[in-house]
Amino acid sequence: MEESKQLACNLSAYRSLFVARFVLLLQYRTAALAGIATQLFWGLIKVMVLAAFFSSSAEAQPMTLSQAVSYVWLGQALLVAVVPWSGDREIQAMIRSGAVGYDLLRPTDLYSFWLTRALAMRTAPVVLRALPLLTISLLLFPTLELNEWALAVPDSAAALIAFLLALIGAIVLSAALTMLLTVSMLWTISGEGINHLFPTLIIVFSGMIIPLPLFPDWMQPLLAVLPFSGLLDQPFCLFVGSLPPSALGQVLTHQAIWISIIILFGRWLVKRGVQRLVIQGG
Amino acid sequence: MPHIVVEDLRKTFWVAEHAPGLWGAVRGLVRRNTRAVEALKGVSFSLERGELVGYIGPNGAGKSTTIKILSGILVPSSGRCRIDGRTPWHDRISHVARIGVVFGQRTQLWWDLPVIESFALLRDIYRVPPAVYRQTCSELIELLELEPLLVTPVRQLSLGQRMRCDFAAALLHRPDILFLDEPTIGLDAVSKLAVRKFIKALNQTQQVTTILTTHDMDDIEALCDRVIIIGGGEILCDGSLAQLRSQVSSRRHLRIDLQPGQLGGQLLRFPVAGVNLLNQVGDSVTLAFDPRQISAAALIHRITEHYDVADLFVENPPIEEIVAELYANERDPQRETTGGENGGV
């Protein structure tokens, strides 16, 4: 009871923490530059593989090559935001050393405190990377006569708005999953196992490797139910037009349900972990 | 009503252990031995508002465990604790909002942020009203001379500078209780003096109830009227410095500087009951004596009869020695507490 009351009236604390973290993470410009180069390279490879696949396949595909290519570029540009690659290394180091108990000295709800950091961690780096990558794929490729490889703008303003709203949901979902990875450290000694296994599942089932519409039909129901399609596939389908803007409500509902479940589970994990911590000591 | 009441606080940790070596590790997979470690075995004390108490003890005595329990970040196995009507571990959020904690071994500031931004973040976390924040912040900046440090990222500060900033950070929300866990550890002499002066001033002007843990007995002598000594999870002594001295040992030290050339390189020989030679460097001699057997005046008289004395003074044994003796007695209760012929050192 007390915790939730505190939470409600202490939003400015979380906002300030977010801003501080965000500004701090914007300083990693070299990492961003390296990230842009890597993601551009992988993007080109994926685009070429898709082009080869589409030209060699006679069957009708669930999405056009241009849609698939746009899907890939969005993924490369927004990678850091929507794919929870890893937990928060600083918090994990604190958990490992036992220093995490000292975070309890602040009059804040620990889960919200950490989720705020995860949100900053998912949003700040993407600001540096998304704009250059989108510019290259949207504007540079067409001028180089590489229209097949370019990112195509959405058909309508409605599609763009639907995409942007679903993207916000995707980032929150991604931050909530990041928290699960972070707090897994409270339960395993090194946390490395979960931190390697989980991201691999995520990049496959979110559509990062192959766009989800290109997966076999029998997998589609499973892919649609899992939380990971809400990270990447569904917002991107709204952008490229494989999903109509009217599907936004459905996409947001799917995200909201999973966000609630994951946050509740994360809160429970943190609560149990902290209980153990305050009883057993750091 | 006392500000802080602690009653019969106990804390047992369960430590998993396995036999050394490969075989031990294998056996540990099947059967895990846990051993109970009693960090606190029934600690009780109470503090009035505005008191400044030194809480000392050897490593592993239970100092940090006590501080963690009082700060609400560790739950005791049993016992009661009321601080301003709150039980720290039940009312964690409202409790930590009213206390300030400084750890000498770690910083509470954000490593990568400039100091002033850390302060602003703390202002929002503790919801300090802007007007109060402006006033408190400028007071602290002036008192602790932080002006030139404010835009420096915390990681670039020296230890002394960082400690001053940590003090300010712990006080921005105007807590009425302060826990200082080894705040002078690793500091140079100048920084130590500055920190002590600040603690003293804070306690006197703002009536902040303060518990100070330290290994530096100069901190205790400079700051605390009252000391609580803990060893092996139990309170060994709780009282004024003078009481502590008399409880452990009544022996005093007499330092004499003799006029040169009287000893001819020999040790001073002085066969008087209750007096023994502590050390002798050149013409400077230190004697330990028991005032119940021979008064200081009588002793000085006896010495001046035999020797030409250039200078002399009577002093209490350093508090370190008293504490060391207390710890030693704790480990070996059979030992004489008043200090026999060989005691006192």
Side-chain angles (χ1 to χ4, degrees):
Chain A
M1 265 321 274
E2 192 203 18
E3 311 249 330
S4 54
K5 206 169 64 194
Q6 291 281 342
L7 183 64
C9 46
N10 206 6
L11 277 176
S12 73
Y14 301 113
R15 194 187 57 219
S16 310
L17 185 74
F18 176 80
V19 172
R21 255 338 262 176
F22 190 89
V23 171
L24 178 73
L25 291 170
L26 283 186
Q27 293 173 6
Y28 296 115
R29 297 203 185 94
T30 317
L33 216 57
I36 291 168
T38 317
Q39 280 144 39
L40 192 61
F41 175 75
W42 280 108
L44 283 170
I45 289 183
K46 282 201 256 182
V47 165
M48 286 184 241
V49 169
L50 281 173
F53 166 74
F54 271 84
S55 66
S56 68
S57 168
E59 284 174 60
Q61 295 300 331
M63 67 200 306
T64 66
L65 175 60
S66 166
Q67 282 179 324
V69 167
S70 297
Y71 188 116
V72 164
W73 284 123
L74 287 174
Q76 296 308 109
L78 299 171
L79 174 75
V80 197
V82 293
V83 178
W85 285 106
S86 64
D88 190 323
R89 300 257 180 240
E90 281 175 41
I91 295 177
Q92 290 180 327
M94 270 170 42
I95 293 174
R96 197 179 223 167
S97 70
V100 69
Y102 297 95
D103 258 12
L104 295 171
L105 285 172
R106 309 203 190 279
T108 47
D109 170 67
L110 198 57
Y111 183 88
S112 315
F113 201 62
W114 287 350
L115 183 66
T116 310
R117 285 176 57 106
L119 275 171
M121 178 180 160
R122 291 285 152 236
T123 46
V126 88
V127 172
L128 295 174
R129 291 160 214 229
L131 274 179
L133 280 165
L134 290 177
T135 312
I136 292 170
S137 55
L138 189 70
L139 302 174
L140 183 65
F141 288 166
T143 61
L144 299 174
E145 315 247 317
L146 293 167
N147 284 321
E148 271 215 327
W149 290 5
L151 172 70
V153 289
D155 292 338
S156 63
L160 183 64
I161 291 166
F163 160 74
L164 289 174
L165 291 174
L167 182 63
I168 294 173
I171 289 171
V172 178
L173 182 60
S174 167
L177 283 166
T178 304
M179 272 299 290
L180 281 193
L181 287 177
T182 304
V183 303
S184 67
M185 279 294 277
L186 283 166
W187 305 96
T188 61
I189 290 176
S190 80
E192 289 299 320
I194 293 174
N195 275 285
H196 280 137
L197 187 73
F198 206 52
T200 311
L201 288 177
I202 290 172
I203 55 172
V204 173
F205 289 113
S206 63
M208 189 62 215
I209 296 203
I210 302 166
L212 293 190
L214 302 180
F215 273 64
D217 285 341
W218 61 268
M219 281 184 78
Q220 294 300 332
L222 174 72
L223 294 173
V225 170
L226 285 177
F228 312 117
S229 61
L231 286 174
L232 199 151
D233 177 73
Q234 294 184 6
F236 293 2
C237 284
L238 286 169
F239 186 96
V240 302
S242 336
L243 278 178
S246 59
L248 176 67
Q250 218 180 319
V251 172
L252 290 181
T253 311
H254 175 259
Q255 287 173 336
I257 290 172
W258 275 112
I259 289 169
S260 316
I261 292 173
I262 292 166
I263 286 184
L264 282 176
F265 182 51
R267 293 193 79 90
W268 180 78
L269 283 179
V270 169
K271 200 177 157 197
R272 287 287 310 275
V274 164
Q275 237 162 36
R276 210 169 57 160
L277 200 74
V278 298
I279 287 168
Q280 185 54 43
Chain B
M1 198 189 138
H3 205 190
I4 299 179
V5 183
V6 174
E7 282 170 11
D8 198 29
L9 218 52
R10 288 166 194 275
K11 180 71 194 174
T12 307
F13 293 106
W14 294 93
V15 183
E17 46 181 29
H18 58 72
L22 184 60
W23 176 234
V26 173
R27 257 195 331 193
L29 291 175
V30 187
R31 214 184 61 190
R32 194 172 290 189
N33 290 325
T34 50
R35 185 169 55 94
V37 177
E38 286 183 87
L40 297 179
K41 303 175 190 163
V43 166
S44 307
F45 57 83
S46 70
L47 262 68
E48 294 300 326
R49 189 174 289 273
E51 246 188 306
L52 198 171
V53 171
Y55 193 61
I56 58 180
N59 292 322
K63 295 191 301 291
S64 292
T65 306
T66 314
I67 297 287
K68 281 182 184 169
I69 291 175
L70 295 186
S71 322
I73 63 173
L74 194 64
V75 178
S77 309
S78 71
R80 271 165 37 86
C81 174
R82 296 297 279 175
I83 299 180
D84 238 355
R86 300 177 299 260
T87 300
W89 55 94
H90 286 152
D91 316 302
R92 177 181 73 83
I93 290 186
S94 58
H95 178 62
V96 295
R98 293 303 316 141
I99 63 169
V101 186
V102 176
F103 295 100
Q105 310 260 33
R106 65 181 68 243
T107 181
Q108 293 210 71
L109 301 163
W110 282 266
W111 207 237
D112 300 299
L113 289 185
V115 175
I116 191 74
E117 286 183 33
S118 273
F119 289 177
L121 210 45
L122 287 167
R123 172 198 63 204
D124 292 336
I125 288 173
Y126 286 92
R127 280 176 288 152
V128 184
V132 177
Y133 172 75
R134 271 194 300 276
Q135 205 206 336
T136 318
C137 199
S138 60
E139 275 173 28
L140 288 167
I141 287 171
E142 199 191 312
L143 263 172
L144 291 160
E145 295 166 28
L146 302 181
E147 194 65 54
L149 312 176
L150 291 176
V151 291
T152 318
V154 173
R155 63 176 132 74
Q156 289 173 6
L157 297 176
S158 76
L159 184 62
Q161 293 171 333
R162 203 212 76 203
M163 215 51 231
R164 272 150 52 203
C165 295
D166 255 310
F167 263 95
L171 293 165
L172 281 173
H173 56 293
R174 294 192 168 274
D176 40 24
I177 293 171
L178 196 55
F179 299 132
L180 307 173
D181 195 0
E182 304 189 18
T184 56
I185 195 163
L187 295 185
D188 64 35
V190 177
S191 305
K192 263 185 192 172
L193 288 178
V195 163
R196 273 181 211 148
K197 201 174 118 198
F198 179 74
I199 297 173
K200 187 114 204 161
L202 189 76
N203 178 253
Q204 280 171 352
T205 58
Q206 321 238 347
Q207 288 289 295
V208 179
T209 310
T210 308
I211 298 184
L212 165 72
T213 81
T214 183
H215 289 293
D216 187 330
M217 297 307 157
D218 292 336
D219 287 348
I220 299 287
E221 287 202 85
L223 292 171
C224 308
D225 300 322
R226 177 180 165 197
V227 281
I228 296 175
I229 301 184
I230 182 170
E234 288 169 308
I235 289 184
L236 305 178
C237 172
D238 179 354
S240 68
L241 274 178
Q243 276 175 312
L244 168 66
R245 285 208 161 91
S246 62
Q247 179 180 335
V248 178
S249 166
S250 55
R251 295 174 80 79
R252 307 254 209 101
H253 291 178
L254 177 65
R255 242 192 79 187
I256 315 155
D257 291 332
L258 297 175
Q259 297 288 4
Q262 297 181 64
L263 295 169
Q266 300 287 307
L267 282 181
L268 180 84
R269 283 223 297 273
F270 203 73
V272 178
V275 180
N276 57 310
L277 181 66
L278 272 187
N279 84 45
Q280 179 175 350
V281 181
D283 296 305
S284 177
V285 176
T286 308
L287 299 175
F289 67 99
D290 185 345
R292 287 173 303 193
Q293 287 176 280
I294 179 166
S295 74
L299 179 62
I300 292 167
H301 182 71
R302 296 281 295 273
I303 291 168
T304 47
E305 270 178 2
H306 290 83
Y307 298 99
D308 266 344
V309 174
D311 198 359
L312 56 78
F313 38 100
V314 179
E315 55 191 16
N316 285 317
I319 186 95
E320 280 95 334
E321 288 184 13
I322 294 180
V323 170
E325 182 153 332
L326 199 63
Y327 296 164
N329 291 345
E330 168 60 19
R331 276 195 291 275
D332 182 9
Q334 256 66 65
R335 249 186 77 171
E336 192 68 30
T337 49
T338 48
E341 203 61 27
N342 304 315
V345 189

